[in-house]
Amino acid sequence: MIYTVTFNPAIDYIVRMPEFIAGATNRVNYEQVLGGGKGINVSIVLKNLGIDSTALGFISGFTGKEIIRQLHSFGCKSDFIELPNGFSDIPANAIEELFAKLDKLTAGDTLVLAGSIPKTLPDDIYEKIMARLENRNINIVVDATKNLLLNVLKYHPFLIKPNNHELAEMFNVTLTCNDDIITYAKKLQDMGAKNVLVSMGKDGAILVAEDGSITY
């Protein structure tokens, strides 16, 4: 089973207009409201591919209810923890409740930790989760930025997914070609990651796999 964790869920409000005119009244001709957050997006994409997953994390209020409604409308499963006092208050017992859910994962399961961490949670929450699940044969995927990602490498995540800009920032370098990307992706492997998938926007992605193979 695949589980996704989103610590910063959101409602994305998308509007479009045929033309923007500065200083004038501009009216939109399209609008859409979507539940968002990286882990939630992963669950939706997986379902579109015919793969089941369970979305985990914290929700509250209208935002939380709408996210659950939309996930279920896509056919996704969820097992969120509802916060009675809003996202600005994530008490220790709520964190322990999440840990208890994660403790039920079994060998062969996949856990996707994706996105940023709110200030109401400890900044090492990803590390704590991975330490708790260490040596249990659980495949952990991490999609996060800079230190959030670098700090979990010691737990040997199955897959990490920086983009090319984040990869350059991690090593304070300029990446000028695919060979540069591969070189620094391999450095992340040396630091502990098993597989490294570097996304490059419209230019696709490069996967540097544990077996040494490279896929464009």
Side-chain angles (χ1 to χ4, degrees), residues 1-206:
M1 184 62 177
I2 301 174
Y3 299 84
T4 65
V5 174
T6 306
F7 285 126
N8 258 332
I11 294 290
D12 297 330
Y13 183 45
I14 302 167
V15 298
R16 296 175 187 158
M17 60 185 68
E19 181 183 10
F20 177 78
I21 302 173
T25 299
N26 294 274
R27 302 190 186 281
V28 302
N29 61 359
Y30 173 90
E31 61 181 3
Q32 187 175 20
V33 177
L34 294 173
K38 278 191 174 180
I40 289 167
N41 292 339
V42 169
S43 282
I44 293 171
V45 170
L46 285 173
K47 190 61 183 178
N48 287 339
L49 295 172
I51 301 170
D52 285 332
S53 68
T54 299
L56 303 173
F58 303 108
I59 54 136
S60 186
F62 164 79
T63 298
K65 288 182 174 60
E66 180 61 16
I67 286 172
I68 290 176
R69 187 194 69 77
Q70 291 195 21
L71 276 171
H72 292 179
S73 73
F74 286 117
C76 298
K77 301 175 184 176
S78 68
D79 191 15
F80 288 101
I81 296 163
E82 187 161 3
L83 302 171
N85 300 318
F87 291 108
S88 61
D89 180 18
I90 303 178
N93 67 300
I95 297 173
E96 285 303 318
E97 188 177 346
L98 176 65
F99 285 164
K101 293 179 186 294
L102 296 176
D103 284 342
K104 296 177 183 177
L105 272 63
T106 58
D109 284 341
T110 297
L111 176 65
V112 180
L113 303 174
S116 58
I117 295 172
K119 293 179 180 178
T120 46
L121 285 174
D123 58 11
D124 62 350
I125 187 71
Y126 281 178
E127 295 169 71
K128 288 180 176 177
I129 289 172
M130 295 185 71
R132 194 176 184 110
L133 300 179
E134 196 173 19
N135 300 320
R136 288 181 47 189
N137 249 356
I138 295 167
N139 297 316
I140 299 182
V141 178
V142 183
D143 179 2
T145 57
K146 203 169 181 183
N147 289 339
L148 280 179
L149 188 58
L150 291 173
N151 290 343
V152 303
L153 296 181
K154 56 183 177 252
Y155 297 107
H156 307 290
F158 172 75
L159 174 71
I160 60 173
K161 197 218 68 66
N163 62 42
N164 53 335
H165 303 296
E166 292 164 347
L167 182 62
E169 184 184 11
M170 287 177 198
F171 294 99
N172 194 28
V173 295
T174 299
L175 305 175
T176 59
C177 61
N178 287 347
D179 285 345
D180 288 346
I181 290 173
I182 292 167
T183 294
Y184 285 97
K186 287 181 176 179
K187 288 183 182 294
L188 292 177
Q189 286 182 316
D190 292 339
M191 296 165 68
K194 294 179 181 178
N195 300 279
V196 181
L197 177 63
V198 182
S199 57
M200 303 181 296
K202 63 180 177 61
D203 296 319
I206 296 176

